[in-house]
Amino acid sequence: LFETRKVNIIIDMLPIKIKDNITKEIVSESSFCFAYSKKYFQKGIIKTEKDLSKYPLILQETNSSYNRNIIELLQIKGVNVIPTISSWTSEMTMQLVREGLGIGYFLKDIIEVQPDKDDYEIITFNNSLPKISICAVYNNEIISPAEKEFIRLMKENKKE
């Protein structure tokens, strides 16, 4: 896309493979979490990773790196989980969790921006879940001053 100049900046998650004239700058960092609606599930039902196997799980689509990574991480800890529902997007996962259909797995930031964010129990297992870097990727040769300013503002306002 950069070569044909159809896009000037891509905001994506690491790891990203880049070519010589392409730069990537970390603009934000986030972590994953599990979450469920307190309207449908009792607060505090998930204390350990093993507790996840007792409830319906909503994970990203089966072949997504999110799904594979969390399943592998849980298997290392001796927990085998099978998603009850596979979702294509974080927005869909959020809506399914909102409707009480299960416990979702997504970026913590997604919950924090919801107008009803206080309705969810967020589970991080003492921050042992994966963290990610979100970066701006751009072609060094064609980036405009406005695009540089956009990246600077994103970095200035990043949450850690």
Side-chain angles (χ1 to χ4, degrees), residues 126-139:
N126 295 319
N127 296 314
S128 66
L129 294 174
K131 294 178 179 14
I132 64 157
S133 295
I134 300 167
C135 61
V137 182
Y138 57 90
N139 184 327

Side-chain angles (χ1 to χ4, degrees):
L1 293 175
F2 289 124
E3 290 82 9
T4 60
R5 296 188 177 191
K6 290 185 178 179
V7 297
N8 289 352
I9 299 176
I10 296 173
I11 307 297
D12 206 346
M13 292 180 272
L14 290 177
I16 298 172
K17 294 180 183 176
I18 59 172
K19 296 181 180 180
D20 290 338
N21 62 336
I22 305 297
T23 297
K24 61 182 174 184
E25 290 187 47
I26 295 174
V27 295
S28 183
E29 295 185 328
S30 189
S31 57
F32 284 94
C33 70
F34 286 94
Y36 59 87
S37 172
K38 292 187 261 185
K39 291 180 182 177
Y40 297 97
F41 295 93
Q42 184 179 4
K43 185 175 167 118
I45 58 170
I46 306 294
K47 294 188 182 3
T48 69
E49 289 91 342
K50 288 191 187 288
D51 292 335
L52 291 170
S53 61
K54 300 175 189 173
Y55 298 94
L57 287 183
I58 305 166
L59 298 181
Q60 293 281 329
E61 184 270 325
T62 308
N63 293 320
S64 76
S65 59
Y66 296 157
N67 190 334
R68 286 191 310 269
N69 291 344
I70 192 59
I71 289 174
E72 288 173 13
L73 178 69
L74 292 172
Q75 285 175 340
I76 289 169
K77 295 180 178 204
V79 179
N80 291 315
V81 295
I82 299 171
T84 305
I85 300 172
S86 290
S87 169
W88 284 96
T89 66
S90 297
E91 293 81 4
M92 182 185 290
T93 301
M94 190 73 235
Q95 187 60 34
L96 294 168
V97 167
R98 182 175 282 120
E99 294 174 13
L101 296 176
I103 298 170
Y105 178 71
F106 29 51
L107 290 174
K108 193 174 176 185
D109 293 355
I110 290 170
I111 298 167
E112 292 172 349
V113 299
Q114 299 300 314
D116 57 348
K117 65 183 177 186
D118 294 332
D119 293 343
Y120 304 98
E121 182 77 13
I122 297 174
I123 306 144
T124 62
F125 302 114
N126 295 319
N127 296 314
S128 66
L129 294 174
K131 294 178 179 14
I132 64 157
S133 295
I134 300 167
C135 61
V137 182
Y138 57 90
N139 184 327
N140 301 331
E141 298 167 359
I142 61 170
I143 189 161
S144 72
E147 292 161 343
K148 285 182 182 178
E149 179 66 6
F150 172 73
I151 293 168
R152 186 191 69 74
L153 290 170
M154 287 185 72
K155 290 170 73 173
E156 185 178 289
N157 293 312
K158 76 178 178 180
K159 289 196 263 179
E160 300 201 27

